[in-house]
Amino acid sequence: NLSNTPGRSSMATQTRNPLTGDLFVVWTDEDSGGRNEIMSRRWEGATRSWFPGLSLAADNLSQSRWEDAGPLVFFDSQGQGILVWTRRYLASDGAPAERTEVLWRAWQGAVWSGEAVLMHVDTYLPGSYGLLPVETPGGILLFITFDNGYRTTTFQGGAWSPVSAPLYLVFPDGTRPILAQILRDDEGLFHAAAYGQNSLQAGLNIWFHDAYYLTYDGSTWTPPVNLSYTDGVADGIGLEFDHHGNLHFLWSDPDSVYSTESLKSAIWERVYDGVSWTSNAEVTTYNPNQAIDGFSLTTDSTGALHLAWSEGLLVNNAHTDLDIYYRTGRGLTWDAEESVHTSSDPSRYPVLVA
């Protein structure tokens, strides 16, 4: 138990420093006032120990009386490490002025640098920010997303470039994709997975998303392609290349009674070989009344895919008895799935690092 605190823990993420092999785990914990703080522990590969030790409190990297959320921790192949998160100030909580900030720290080899402001907005924005890092030859390119808008900035040599003005993804057909994950290929093309409007806009379907794919060459976005379309809705998305260069696009469907397109709770996949997409296929082995509740997809240095997910039973439209499952993928085939963690408590939101 890495958090081991009375408050509720959430938004866990992790990454590995490729130069040292150390693992960094970051999450949010509720403090005594019900506000979230950014917490962290580090697994040191050389000593095979957690720092701080598990008998000690985790590092509080925000230490703020305001609301901190959405942490991102990321290392590039050169060992540059960043921690980025959002903070909101609300007048009703006693803030002298309402505002929204994106804050950051850099890994300095043994400790994190002091907290600093990366972006400041003079208003309280209650929606969800996304922090999407991409390694480029020029450093770590960070997309700061908010709904269908985004800003960019690059981290290199311990400093950030100026944050760009906001840009908005709005296409002639009315699609307004919300970026969820971005990869860069060897040719410098960016591949993005996004949430967008459901293909069926009748009734409560308007509150559900489909899974979209689009690319970016550094100046222009291609029109988004709806990959889930009428075969389901998306409440989770994953995007990775395999060792053959095929692009794997995965999404999960909750099987909600409130959407007539959400027909089966499963993890679905389509694969792009550079020419065309395969048809939708289930990655998980279907079980009666199956409930998929979040997944994590990554690839290792050999290009093998690793997939972990939370699976249980769908009872009265609720996901219950959730355990963690895992399988590996090699090219267009997946190895047998296996149960890797069971508990009397629901196990949700696995996070993988290869």
Side-chain angles (χ1 to χ4, degrees):
N1 188 339
L2 297 182
S3 56
N4 195 24
T5 56
R8 179 175 177 267
S9 302
S10 61
M11 297 185 182
T13 183
Q14 63 178 330
T15 191
R16 188 182 301 278
N17 183 339
L19 300 189
T20 65
D22 291 358
L23 181 69
F24 293 76
V25 184
V26 178
W27 67 94
T28 63
D29 258 354
E30 285 185 352
D31 63 17
S32 58
R35 298 182 183 88
N36 285 324
E37 300 280 12
I38 307 300
M39 312 298 290
S40 178
R41 292 190 193 273
R42 173 174 59 95
W43 172 259
E44 188 176 83
T47 62
R48 302 191 62 78
S49 303
W50 286 104
F51 291 90
L54 297 182
S55 63
L56 303 173
D59 285 334
N60 185 337
L61 297 177
S62 54
Q63 297 186 12
S64 164
R65 60 169 296 193
W66 315 111
E67 182 68 16
D68 295 281
L72 158 75
V73 61
F74 182 80
F75 278 79
D76 66 11
S77 60
Q78 306 304 310
Q80 290 192 120
I82 55 170
L83 170 66
V84 188
W85 73 97
T86 62
R87 178 176 296 160
R88 292 177 173 86
Y89 300 81
L90 193 60
S92 61
D93 285 341
E98 295 197 349
R99 62 184 188 271
T100 302
E101 292 178 336
V102 176
L103 301 111
W104 69 282
R105 295 175 183 262
W107 183 246
Q108 297 181 321
V111 297
W112 290 100
S113 65
E115 175 187 296
V117 176
L118 174 59
M119 189 185 81
H120 175 93
V121 179
D122 285 322
T123 186
Y124 178 85
L125 300 175
S128 297
Y129 271 100
L131 301 169
L132 310 178
V134 185
E135 182 171 0
T136 73
I140 301 173
L141 175 61
L142 179 66
F143 288 78
I144 305 172
T145 70
F146 185 81
D147 292 335
N148 67 311
Y150 70 93
R151 303 170 187 246
T152 59
T153 177
T154 299
F155 182 80
Q156 178 64 35
W160 292 93
S161 66
V163 178
S164 72
L167 301 169
Y168 296 92
L169 295 175
V170 182
F171 290 87
D173 63 357
T175 302
R176 299 169 176 261
I178 302 169
L179 297 173
Q181 187 179 353
I182 303 174
L183 303 178
R184 181 181 180 275
D185 66 23
D186 293 337
E187 305 301 320
L189 183 66
F190 296 90
H191 302 258
Y195 298 101
Q197 65 189 41
N198 194 6
S199 56
L200 183 60
Q201 290 288 289
L204 296 177
N205 287 288
I206 62 174
W207 302 110
F208 291 82
H209 291 115
D210 275 336
Y212 287 77
Y213 168 79
L214 60 165
T215 64
Y216 178 59
D217 63 7
S219 61
T220 304
W221 292 92
T222 59
V225 178
N226 188 339
L227 292 185
S228 57
Y229 198 48
T230 59
D231 289 337
V233 299
D235 68 348
I237 285 179
L239 190 67
E240 287 290 350
F241 286 101
D242 66 24
H243 66 289
H244 293 300
N246 299 311
L247 182 62
H248 295 251
F249 191 114
L250 278 65
W251 70 93
S252 58
D253 188 320
D255 190 7
S256 173
V257 296
Y258 300 108
S259 170
T260 55
E261 283 197 357
S262 183
L263 303 179
K264 180 189 287 187
S265 187
I267 298 177
W268 299 90
E269 177 188 43
R270 297 185 71 172
V271 182
Y272 185 67
D273 62 4
V275 178
S276 60
W277 290 96
T278 61
S279 300
N280 294 5
E282 288 183 61
V283 178
T284 47
T285 303
Y286 184 72
N287 298 307
N289 299 317
Q290 174 175 279
I292 302 296
D293 199 281
F295 72 91
S296 177
L297 175 69
T298 192
T299 186
D300 63 25
S301 59
T302 71
L305 299 168
H306 300 265
L307 174 66
W309 69 95
S310 174
E311 179 181 328
L313 297 175
L314 189 64
V315 179
N316 296 325
N317 202 41
H319 293 185
T320 64
D321 299 326
L322 295 167
D323 296 322
I324 304 300
Y325 292 79
Y326 168 82
R327 72 189 313 179
T328 57
R330 305 177 190 282
L332 300 180
T333 62
W334 290 90
D335 296 342
E337 65 180 51
E338 55 182 308
S339 172
V340 294
H341 179 75
T342 60
S343 172
S344 57
D345 295 319
S347 299
R348 305 175 187 267
Y349 314 123
V351 181
L352 279 176
V353 170

